[in-house]
Amino acid sequence: GSPSAQAPGVAPERGSNRCLFRLTALGLCAPTSFLGAMGAVMEPMSCGCIESSDDRRALRALVRKQLERFPHALEELEECGRKTTHWIWYACPTEQPGKGDPVSSYVTPATAPLLLESESVSEWQKVLEKLCDLVEQTGMSVLPRVDHGRVFHFLKFWDGVPEKPDWMEDALDRLRKLNWPPR
C-alpha cells in the first residue's frame, strides 16, 4: 500500500491534545491500535501528527545530542556544582531552537511525547534531576544568566504537554519554585 493508506474502519487514536502514534525508525507514524489489532508491525503510515520533516529532523537531532552530551553534562554538574559548557538547549527543549544550538533542535506539542519515550530519556532525567538538586541548594546561579530565559520558556512549554511522567512533573515543580526571568 501507499504510505498514506489506512486499513478500512481503523481510525488513528487521538486524545484531546495527545497523539497516540509512535515514531518509527523512518520517522513516520503508525497508529498504535492498528499495529496491536493486526498483531504485527505493518508498513508505517504518515498520520500528520508530526507536522513536518523539519520537526522529525529536530527531534532526531535532539535525541542524538542528549545521548552525546548528557554524560559530560552530568559529570560537569557533579564535579563543578554548576553548568559551565553549552547544553541547555538539550536539557530544556522548547519550540524555539537555541541561538547557539549547532543542530537547531526543538520540540513541538506533537514531538514532546515522543521525546519522553525516546532512548535518551533516562539520561535526560538524570541531568534534569541533578540540575534541580543544585538549583534547590544554590539557586539560579547554577546556570549562567543567559540560560535563565530558556528555563522560563521550558517550564511554559512543558506545562502544556499532557500526560508527562512523574519524574518530569517533579522536575517542573522543583524548577517552578524559582522566579526565572523570561529573558
Side-chain angles (χ1 to χ4, degrees):
S2 72
S4 60
Q6 180 141 345
V10 178
E13 287 184 47
R14 290 181 185 263
S16 59
N17 289 321
R18 184 177 182 324
C19 181
L20 298 177
F21 291 81
R22 295 181 192 238
L23 190 64
T24 69
L26 298 175
L28 299 175
C29 299
T32 306
S33 62
F34 176 70
L35 296 178
M38 300 309 288
V41 176
M42 307 303 280
E43 180 179 336
M45 297 175 286
S46 178
C47 68
C49 66
I50 297 181
E51 295 86 19
S52 72
S53 61
D54 288 344
D55 295 345
R56 289 189 296 272
R57 182 213 48 82
L59 177 62
R60 286 191 301 266
L62 176 57
V63 169
R64 274 194 315 272
K65 282 297 188 177
Q66 285 182 332
L67 289 169
E68 175 187 309
R69 298 298 303 272
F70 281 171
H72 175 74
L74 186 59
E75 183 179 304
E76 175 182 304
L77 291 172
E78 289 171 346
E79 291 180 10
C80 301
R82 62 188 178 89
K83 178 184 165 285
T84 60
T85 60
H86 303 286
W87 47 261
I88 195 67
W89 319 287
Y90 316 128
C92 297
T94 70
E95 288 179 293
Q96 187 66 34
K99 291 178 184 171
D101 179 0
V103 298
S104 298
S105 63
Y106 62 88
V107 289
T108 67
T111 62
L114 299 171
L115 181 59
L116 289 167
E117 295 178 7
S118 72
E119 62 186 304
S120 63
V121 74
S122 64
E123 296 302 313
W124 185 24
Q125 179 180 353
K126 289 175 195 173
V127 168
L128 274 182
E129 288 175 348
K130 183 62 179 178
L131 186 59
C132 289
D133 291 345
L134 292 171
V135 164
E136 287 174 342
Q137 293 168 8
T138 313
M140 287 191 270
S141 64
V142 167
L143 295 174
R145 184 174 292 276
V146 70
D147 292 340
H148 294 185
R150 173 56 88 170
V151 176
F152 174 89
H153 291 287
F154 169 73
L155 293 170
K156 185 176 177 181
F157 174 82
W158 286 91
D159 280 345
V161 175
E163 302 182 39
K164 294 176 288 291
D166 291 342
W167 70 264
M168 176 58 95
E169 291 284 3
D170 184 55
L172 295 173
D173 288 343
R174 294 170 73 188
L175 289 171
R176 204 177 291 111
K177 290 177 185 174
L178 284 89
N179 189 22
W180 299 97
R183 292 183 149 252

